[in-house]
Amino acid sequence: MLDLESIRSVIVRNLKATTGIQTIIAEQSNEQPPYPFIAIKFTTLGKQVGRAAQYMHEDVQYTEQDIEMVLSVSSFSEEMDESINNAYAAFQFFEVDGIQTLQEANIAVVKTTEISNRDTFISIEYERRTGFDVRIRTRAQSIRELDSIDTININN
């Protein structure tokens, strides 16, 4: 089973703690926080990498599968320079500052894309957005208890 909620939580909590910038999950029904902030969203979920591994321990069967996901990270601001600087701070989190924290949560950064402009025009002004994508991997595990045979009676 893939625990997406805990993966999101680790990323949001630690990205905010490391950069000092409010970090949210994108495209929620809640009101947008005041500028500046960082928003993340998963654009690809659950791409299997390699083959699943199965093993037994006592009466339990474990299946593990490496899963790759793509995370879109965007910095929102009213000012272009602030948006760029905050995007770079988030980029540094995934490339340098947060690597150990993510590894401790069983999340590996595979690749980050280049930082690019994602501005959007809202009615009469621009919302400054700068962002990048991150490919991450984690391991999903399923556990299944198996029935065991305690005794067998054999009759000729």
Side-chain angles (χ1 to χ4, degrees):
M1 182 171 137
L2 182 63
D3 188 359
L4 187 58
E5 185 177 337
S6 71
I7 293 168
R8 268 195 312 247
S9 177
V10 164
I11 292 170
V12 168
R13 185 177 60 250
N14 289 291
L15 185 55
K16 180 181 179 182
T18 302
T19 64
I21 304 162
Q22 175 69 30
T23 303
I24 65 168
I25 305 297
E27 299 174 0
Q28 299 295 302
S29 58
N30 302 336
E31 267 193 48
Q32 176 174 297
Y35 295 116
F37 64 92
I38 294 171
I40 67 165
K41 76 175 179 180
F42 286 94
T43 58
T44 303
L45 294 166
K47 177 184 173 192
Q48 296 179 345
V49 178
R51 299 189 55 84
Q54 292 184 337
Y55 59 94
M56 299 279 300
H57 181 67
E58 297 178 3
D59 292 335
V60 179
Q61 177 184 4
Y62 297 88
T63 303
E64 292 185 343
Q65 175 69 54
D66 287 338
I67 303 293
E68 189 167 287
M69 297 172 270
V70 177
L71 177 67
S72 176
V73 180
S74 295
S75 167
F76 290 70
S77 179
E78 292 176 324
E79 303 296 327
M80 185 180 352
D81 289 344
E82 182 178 54
S83 176
I84 293 168
N85 289 336
N86 291 347
Y88 186 73
F91 185 83
Q92 283 295 106
F93 170 79
F94 287 102
E95 285 289 320
V96 180
D97 303 330
I99 292 292
Q100 183 173 345
T101 302
L102 294 173
Q103 286 176 346
E104 289 169 0
N106 198 29
I107 300 168
V109 175
V110 176
K111 182 180 181 179
T112 51
T113 64
E114 66 279 353
I115 297 172
S116 62
N117 184 307
R118 297 178 175 182
D119 287 350
T120 189
F121 188 72
I122 300 176
S123 67
I124 60 170
E125 58 191 28
Y126 280 96
E127 178 176 65
R128 300 301 180 179
R129 297 180 188 177
T130 309
F132 58 95
D133 292 343
V134 182
R135 280 184 25 221
I136 61 173
R137 281 190 193 154
T138 190
R139 184 160 289 166
Q141 183 180 65
S142 64
I143 301 170
R144 190 173 96 190
E145 290 188 36
L146 302 175
D147 294 330
S148 61
I149 301 171
D150 295 326
T151 61
I152 298 175
N153 294 328
I154 300 176
N155 295 328
N156 291 350

